[in-house]
């Protein structure tokens, strides 16, 4: 089983659109959206959720008001400003009260340890959800990190493990992963142990800079990498420069995709650009897959799904 991870140095390079096109061309794949901080592959593939799971990570302090003595030790000891002093009516009087701001709480547990009244609970924190769905291109595992949710790397690992499990159980030969942009924790969790990492970049100075960082990341984790230059015709000279630099770093350019407004139209319609038979970008993607079929889709293309 091959695991192909598509990432980019920054957002907006076209990574998700390309993954959606690969999903339509791959015959026997499981799709995983590991861009859990800003997932959007579902906007193209319209998944039908079959399973929904809660994602928990870390802990969150909660003060039981009926047991709190209002001593204020938690407020004084918290180094993150998560304990807020408020007032509450108590008969004809107004007394001090303390509450935890869940978006500021880091789950360190100091307040829990030092509360003499034992009035602070420390439950697991619900940080988001992950799903198993059906799509027109096959099974899909995806997730949504909650507002101010933490540990996106752990959620990415959960999504990848479930996608691999489904692939093994159903006899799929490829896992197609839409990874996160950048070089942070969710990206590291996406690429480690992958069969191939395909980096989507643009022919700009910022694209070149971000590509350098991503290639250094791949070299550090010793994963095979390849490069796709999207919208290359907007700056052919820069595209050539990026291609030479990538090849020198051991990451061959396996595809060049022309700028095409058909991609935006397809996104607005919630579909793959491959549905537009006149699209230049779609033709470039098909050429890339044909030329590098074994490393991009992992299996022959039998029927294209748009």
């Amino acid at each position: 089983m091959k695991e192909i991870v598509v990432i980019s140095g920054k957002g907006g390079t076209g990574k998700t659109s390309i993954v959606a096109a690969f999903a339509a061309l791959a015959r026997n794949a499981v799709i995983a959206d590991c861009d859990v901080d800003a997932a959007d592959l579902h906007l193209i593939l319209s998944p039908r959720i079959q399973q929904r799971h809660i994602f928990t990570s870390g802990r969150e302090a909660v003060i039981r008001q009926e047991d709190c003595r209002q001593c204020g030790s938690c407020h004084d000891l918290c180094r993150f400003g998560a304990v807020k002093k408020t007032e509450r009516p108590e008969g004809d009087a107004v007394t001090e009260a303390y509450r935890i701001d869940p978006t500021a709480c880091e789950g360190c547990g100091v307040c829990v340890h030092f509360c003499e009244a034992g009035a602070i609970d420390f439950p697991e924190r619900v940080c988001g959800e992950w799903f198993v769905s059906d799509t027109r291109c096959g099974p899909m595992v995806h997730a949504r990190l909650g507002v101010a949710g933490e540990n996106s790397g752990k959620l990415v690992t959960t999504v990848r493990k479930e996608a691999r499990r489904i692939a093994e159980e159903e006899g799929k030969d490829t896992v197609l992963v839409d990874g996160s942009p950048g070089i942070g924790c969710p990206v590291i969790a996406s690429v480690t142990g992958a069969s191939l990492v395909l980096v989507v970049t643009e022919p700009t100075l910022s694209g070149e800079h971000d590509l350098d960082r991503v290639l250094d990341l791949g070299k550090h984790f010793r994963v095979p990498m390849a490069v796709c230059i999207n919208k290359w015709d907007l700056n052919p000279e820069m595209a050539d420069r990026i291609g030479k630099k990538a090849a020198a770093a051991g990451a061959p350019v396996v595809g060049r995709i022309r700028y095409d407004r058909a991609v935006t139209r397809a996104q607005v319609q919630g579909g793959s650009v491959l549905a537009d038979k006149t699209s230049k970008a779609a033709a470039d993607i098909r050429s890339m897959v044909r030329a590098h079929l074994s490393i991009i889709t992992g299996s022959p293309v039998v029927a294209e799904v748009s």
Side-chain angles (χ1 to χ4, degrees):
M1 181 179 64
K2 291 186 177 181
E3 186 175 21
I4 314 301
V5 182
V6 183
I7 63 173
S8 58
K10 69 176 187 66
T13 61
K15 166 180 60 66
T16 297
S17 298
I18 291 173
V19 172
F22 287 170
L25 291 169
R27 180 186 64 177
N28 199 28
V30 176
I31 308 147
D33 189 351
C34 288
D35 189 1
V36 298
D37 293 280
D40 55 5
L41 187 57
H42 62 280
L43 298 177
I44 302 177
L45 297 185
S46 303
R48 299 173 296 279
I49 295 175
Q50 304 299 314
Q51 300 177 32
R52 185 187 299 263
H53 303 270
I54 296 297
F55 171 67
T56 60
S57 179
R59 294 183 178 273
E60 175 185 320
V62 179
I63 298 175
R64 298 193 309 279
Q65 295 299 321
E66 64 274 16
D67 297 323
C68 178
R69 298 175 185 170
Q70 289 84 46
C71 68
S73 62
C74 55
H75 179 270
D76 297 337
L77 290 168
C78 182
R79 293 296 177 263
F80 303 102
V83 182
K84 306 298 183 182
K85 183 188 295 186
T86 61
E87 294 181 343
R88 67 176 181 182
E90 195 169 287
D92 295 332
V94 175
T95 62
E96 288 185 343
Y98 296 90
R99 300 183 183 277
I100 305 293
D101 179 356
T103 61
C105 179
E106 291 289 329
C108 67
V110 167
C111 60
V112 179
H113 180 77
F114 286 99
C115 179
E116 294 182 0
I120 304 179
D121 295 327
F122 205 36
E124 286 189 316
R125 185 194 298 265
V126 175
C127 294
E129 296 178 289
W130 61 276
F131 317 93
V132 178
S133 300
D134 289 333
T135 74
R136 62 182 180 274
C137 299
M140 175 176 170
V141 186
H142 50 122
R144 179 172 55 227
L145 197 66
V147 176
E150 296 182 344
N151 219 332
S152 55
K154 181 179 177 182
L155 183 52
V156 167
T157 300
T158 300
V159 170
R160 286 183 71 190
K161 284 183 178 178
E162 182 64 16
R164 289 173 180 170
R165 185 195 67 78
I166 293 173
E168 292 175 357
E169 187 177 273
E170 299 187 7
K172 306 290 187 180
D173 54 22
T174 308
V175 175
L176 288 173
V177 178
D178 184 7
S180 300
I183 59 171
C185 181
V187 180
I188 293 171
S190 297
V191 305
T192 50
S195 305
L196 174 75
V197 174
L198 179 66
V199 185
V200 180
T201 189
E202 295 174 327
T204 62
L205 283 173
S206 61
E208 180 184 31
H209 172 264
D210 293 333
L211 177 63
D212 287 342
R213 298 166 68 213
V214 172
L215 292 178
D216 285 344
L217 181 74
K219 182 179 180 180
H220 176 79
F221 287 101
R222 299 180 181 179
V223 291
M225 306 190 81
V227 172
C228 171
I229 305 176
N230 195 20
K231 308 172 194 171
W232 71 269
D233 53 329
L234 296 183
N235 191 339
E237 293 79 10
M238 178 60 76
D240 290 340
R241 183 166 127 182
I242 286 175
K244 292 176 182 177
K245 180 174 289 189
V253 174
V254 296
R256 296 187 177 210
I257 302 173
R258 287 167 285 183
Y259 173 74
D260 191 348
R261 292 183 179 179
V263 176
T264 303
R265 290 196 298 269
Q267 290 175 330
V268 171
Q269 296 166 4
S272 167
V273 68
L274 297 179
D276 187 342
K277 303 303 180 183
T278 64
S279 166
K280 296 178 181 178
D284 292 339
I285 291 171
R286 291 190 186 93
S287 296
M288 175 169 57
V289 170
R290 281 195 297 267
H292 304 278
L293 194 60
S294 62
I295 64 171
I296 292 177
T297 64
S299 62
V301 177
V302 173
E304 182 177 310
V305 181
S306 58

